[in-house]
Amino acid sequence: MRELGSETATADELRQRLFRPAERWGWAYSAPAPVAVHPEAARPPVFQQIYVAPDYLFRQKRSKRAWLGLLGFLFLTFWAVVCAGSALRPLPLAAKWVTSLILIVGVVLSVTRFILVRRRFKVLKRTYDTQHRAASEGYEQARADWEQRISEHNQREYTRYHSTMLWHPLRANPNASRVDVFGGTEDGWASLLATTGTAALAAGSSMFILDFSEQAVADNLVVLAAEQGQPVAVHELPPDLSVLNLLGDLQAAELAELIAEAVHSLQRPALGGDLRGLHADLLTAVALRLTGPVTFTRLHAGVQVLRRVHEVTSASVLTADEIRALNSYVDVAGSTEQARNELQALDGALNLIAQEEQAAGEGVDVRGFESAWPARGLSVVATTSKVRRRKQFLDYIVFYRTLRDLQNRHAGGREILVVAGADRVGLDALETMTRQARRVGVRLIFLLEHLRDDLQKLLGGSDSVTILMRLGNGAEAAAAAEFIGRGHRFVLSQLTEQVGRTFTSGSASSVGESSGTSTSRGYSSGSSFSSGGDGRSSSSSTSGYSRSTTRERSQNWSETVNQSAADSTTTGSTQARVYEYTVEPTTLQSLAPTAFVLVEMGMAGRRVIAGDCNPGIVLLDRVAIESTPN
């Protein structure tokens, strides 16, 4: 895989891949699904064992011993015939025939029995061998088929895993008329404009960029579009004031209203009330009395005439008739203290641009600011100045002039207006431009550096898409995280561990003693009488007495000691359901310059997806051209 900015990636290849006619805000990374194991991988075929018949071994033994049985039977038959012939000599003819018949029958029966025994075993063995061979062949075939299925499945999974696209173009809701980009850095905005701008230009849309950021965020897109052959126009104000002619082709009331809005926005913190009407009336009176082209220089000179501070010289930008017409209105314009104060405010504001307009020189474009709107291709109007108030006033003038032109356009849905640094204009002006752009079919893109104060009301506006880039401020990141939403999940909330030990010990002793005496007495007596053959006789008698006395004594002693110890450990965990941010504020604070989170509402509900707008992603491998449905 090639790294971003690789030396092998040429600028031509980058342009060719970026200029594809499909909406693209960036790319979403989607890891391929893990390689799946085949369901049969753990269940290989099992060999079906073929068992022999219960009497197989018996028949096998009988078959092996059939020769012995045959020979023995023939020998007994022959021996019986021989013995019968030896006992009966001479043999009668009938006996010979009977003996021969018995011999023949015995031989036939023996051979027949031998053949039957052998044949029965061969049939049994052949049947078993046939079944065993069929089972083996079936198992080998099933094993081969199983291995082939597993191999094909693994190959498909391997191919899928290593060929699945990792980066998919990220598209917003095509029906959304406005895209709000909050946060981000110079590199992030430049990358976002390059990524989405090249796709829009390739699709035939025109793009008009108002760059109030002073960071030249459109330069990358300008270079890519010019190298691709797209029409490109870049204007920088105030140097190009004479070329764009911001007040050209405007009626007196229109330019007065435009400048009044700009002055109100510039002095909004200091104004005690809404003085736009008074400013517009004063400027309209000046513009109506100027017979030539209305420029900031001439308008400033007219206001000075009303203030009675204009010096008439040979180099005056006003004609004598214009000065006379304005002098006739001096008393009316300065009839009140408030009017005189507002003339002074207008004098100071117009002087900011009049000085730059005079420095820009001649060459006013009679077509006015409308020439900056591109019919096709790209046009950029950037404002910059070292004087802060001049820069702010110029931003307001350009913004409100664009808003005025927007009211009269018929875009047809193929024009894109980008305002970089739109948070400097204010919520009311942005909402007004949103309504006008939706009415005429121009798609708006607001690049807002901060998410603070009233600008938070833009989050999730109707018919809009929100893109959140890096927000370094903690409060802004928290507001963005709250907008993205929260979700339920289970987290480990408690761990418990109990450890116990028990120990017991004991001892016992015993002492015992016993004694006893036993006495036994005995008495025996007997007599005998005997007589002999000679008439003699004898008799005898015996008697006896015995007595015995036994004494015994015993002592015993025992001592028992026992000990026991037991250890126990109990662990436990508790999970709790929590309601937390889907994206933590710290995550938004630490996003990469080109990373973002897109939030939108569509037919399928709310969608929150992370993406990256780095244009160099197209040079990586496995980058899809078409987006996948989300």
Side-chain angles (χ1 to χ4, degrees):
M1 182 179 290
R2 291 174 296 184
E3 297 294 337
L4 299 181
S6 172
E7 295 180 359
T8 59
T10 63
D12 291 339
E13 184 180 6
L14 178 64
R15 289 196 308 274
Q16 291 174 2
R17 296 191 180 189
L18 284 176
F19 279 89
R20 286 173 176 163
E23 182 184 353
R24 176 186 62 237
W25 291 94
W27 292 266
Y29 179 81
S30 177
V35 175
V37 179
H38 196 280
E40 300 180 13
R43 300 195 302 272
V46 179
F47 179 75
Q48 299 296 328
Q49 184 66 40
I50 304 299
Y51 297 96
V52 298
D55 58 347
Y56 181 85
L57 296 178
F58 174 74
R59 291 181 180 275
Q60 185 180 28
K61 291 180 180 179
R62 290 187 62 184
S63 176
K64 291 180 179 179
R65 297 175 181 177
W67 289 102
L68 298 177
L70 177 61
L71 294 176
F73 187 81
L74 291 177
F75 175 75
L76 290 175
T77 304
F78 180 74
W79 181 77
V81 173
V82 172
C83 290
S86 300
L88 300 174
R89 286 188 180 278
L91 287 175
L93 181 60
K96 291 181 178 180
W97 281 103
V98 172
T99 304
S100 300
L101 180 62
I102 293 174
L103 180 61
I104 293 171
V105 171
V107 172
V108 170
L109 290 176
S110 299
V111 173
T112 302
R113 181 177 178 278
F114 171 77
I115 294 173
L116 289 176
V117 171
R118 297 283 293 184
R119 182 175 181 81
R120 287 173 183 172
F121 177 71
K122 287 182 178 180
V123 171
L124 184 63
K125 186 175 184 304
R126 187 183 305 114
T127 302
Y128 170 75
D129 292 342
T130 301
Q131 294 177 350
H132 186 274
R133 184 167 52 254
S136 298
E137 292 176 354
Y139 170 75
E140 294 297 332
Q141 183 63 38
R143 180 80 183 188
D145 295 342
W146 175 79
E147 291 178 349
Q148 183 178 2
R149 290 195 302 272
I150 298 299
S151 177
E152 291 176 352
H153 172 80
N154 292 341
Q155 184 62 36
R156 287 194 302 270
E157 285 295 298
Y158 178 85
T159 303
R160 177 194 61 79
Y161 185 84
H162 289 87
S163 61
T164 300
M165 296 300 177
L166 300 179
W167 296 92
H168 300 273
L170 187 57
R171 297 178 183 173
N173 183 1
N175 297 323
S177 62
R178 192 186 79 219
V179 178
D180 300 325
V181 181
F182 292 95
T185 62
E186 174 186 352
D187 293 335
W189 285 4
S191 298
L192 183 67
L193 289 178
T195 298
T196 189
T198 51
L201 294 176
S205 299
S206 63
M207 181 173 284
F208 185 29
I209 301 177
L210 303 180
D211 186 5
F212 302 149
S213 66
E214 294 186 292
Q215 296 175 347
V217 295
D219 283 1
N220 291 343
L221 177 59
V222 168
V223 172
L224 291 172
E227 292 177 349
Q228 190 67 16
Q230 293 280 345
V232 175
V234 179
H235 303 281
E236 185 176 352
L237 300 179
D240 289 343
L241 279 172
S242 59
V243 176
L244 288 183
N245 191 12
L246 294 173
L247 302 181
D249 71 356
L250 292 181
Q251 300 296 325
E254 292 177 338
L255 67 88
E257 189 71 26
L258 186 153
I259 297 177
E261 289 284 356
V263 172
H264 174 76
S265 300
L266 181 65
Q267 299 180 349
R268 188 180 310 158
L271 292 178
D274 193 346
L275 300 175
R276 280 175 290 188
L278 178 58
H279 293 164
D281 291 341
L282 293 174
L283 292 170
T284 301
V286 174
L288 288 174
R289 287 162 176 78
L290 298 180
T291 58
V294 180
T295 63
F296 287 100
T297 303
R298 287 166 52 79
L299 199 60
H300 174 245
V303 171
Q304 285 186 326
V305 171
L306 295 183
R307 291 189 60 214
R308 295 186 174 92
V309 295
H310 179 67
E311 297 181 1
V312 180
T313 63
S314 60
S316 176
V317 295
L318 299 178
T319 65
D321 293 337
E322 291 172 339
I323 293 175
R324 280 193 296 272
L326 289 169
N327 283 329
S328 65
Y329 187 71
V330 168
D331 293 335
V332 177
S335 60
T336 64
E337 183 68 24
Q338 187 177 32
R340 289 192 293 271
N341 292 337
E342 297 312 315
L343 281 174
Q344 183 178 358
L346 290 175
D347 184 5
L350 291 172
N351 185 48
L352 294 172
I353 302 182
Q355 293 177 1
E356 295 293 339
E357 190 176 62
Q358 290 175 353
E362 300 295 331
V364 175
D365 191 340
V366 295
R367 294 177 300 171
F369 187 74
E370 286 188 355
S371 62
W373 285 83
R376 58 181 296 269
L378 173 66
S379 179
V380 180
V381 175
T383 60
T384 181
S385 178
K386 296 180 180 179
V387 180
R388 178 176 174 274
R389 292 186 72 248
R390 178 181 293 125
K391 171 67 170 62
Q392 291 180 337
F393 189 54
L394 193 57
D395 290 345
Y396 296 136
I397 292 291
V398 172
F399 180 86
Y400 286 112
R401 176 58 206 260
T402 304
L403 177 59
R404 183 266 173 195
D405 290 349
L406 191 62
Q407 297 173 356
N408 301 324
R409 296 195 69 81
H410 302 282
R414 299 191 65 84
E415 288 189 2
I416 300 174
L417 174 60
V418 181
V419 183
D423 46 345
R424 307 182 183 188
V425 179
L427 178 63
D428 293 339
L430 295 179
E431 289 182 339
T432 302
M433 177 173 280
T434 299
R435 290 191 295 269
Q436 296 299 333
R438 185 185 298 117
R439 183 179 61 82
V440 299
V442 173
R443 193 174 201 185
L444 281 177
I445 300 176
F446 290 152
L447 302 181
L448 304 107
E449 185 177 359
H450 297 286
L451 177 59
R452 59 177 60 154
D453 302 331
D454 291 343
L455 293 178
Q456 295 184 12
K457 298 178 181 179
L458 289 176
L459 287 172
S462 62
D463 197 22
S464 68
V465 174
T466 301
I467 294 179
L468 300 169
M469 304 186 77
R470 180 192 292 178
L471 290 165
N473 183 272
E476 296 178 15
E482 189 69 37
F483 167 71
I484 293 174
R486 300 172 182 261
H488 296 283
R489 65 189 184 99
F490 288 92
V491 298
L492 184 65
S493 64
Q494 182 178 3
L495 287 175
T496 59
E497 182 176 5
Q498 296 179 348
V499 178
R501 169 172 289 187
T502 59
F503 181 81
T504 60
S505 63
S507 63
S509 61
S510 62
V511 178
E513 180 179 354
S514 64
S515 63
T517 301
S518 62
T519 301
S520 63
R521 293 182 179 89
Y523 175 82
S524 63
S525 64
S527 63
S528 64
F529 177 81
S530 64
S531 62
D534 55 359
R536 292 181 298 178
S537 61
S538 61
S539 62
S540 62
S541 62
T542 60
S543 62
Y545 174 80
S546 64
R547 181 180 178 180
S548 64
T549 300
T550 304
R551 293 182 175 90
E552 59 180 11
R553 183 180 180 183
S554 63
Q555 290 181 340
N556 57 75
W557 173 84
S558 66
E559 184 174 0
T560 304
V561 178
N562 60 78
Q563 293 181 345
S564 65
D567 294 329
S568 64
T569 302
T570 303
T571 59
S573 62
T574 303
Q575 287 188 333
R577 188 182 185 214
V578 297
Y579 190 60
E580 294 181 338
Y581 287 120
T582 302
V583 179
E584 290 293 332
T586 53
T587 302
L588 294 172
Q589 290 178 283
S590 59
L591 285 176
T594 58
F596 62 85
V597 178
L598 185 145
V599 184
E600 68 175 2
M601 293 295 296
M603 298 296 295
R606 201 164 189 263
R607 182 173 72 139
V608 178
I609 187 169
D612 196 303
C613 61
N614 191 335
I617 289 178
V618 295
L619 299 177
L620 299 175
D621 296 328
R622 299 164 68 180
V623 178
I625 298 176
E626 297 294 331
S627 63
T628 56
N630 294 300

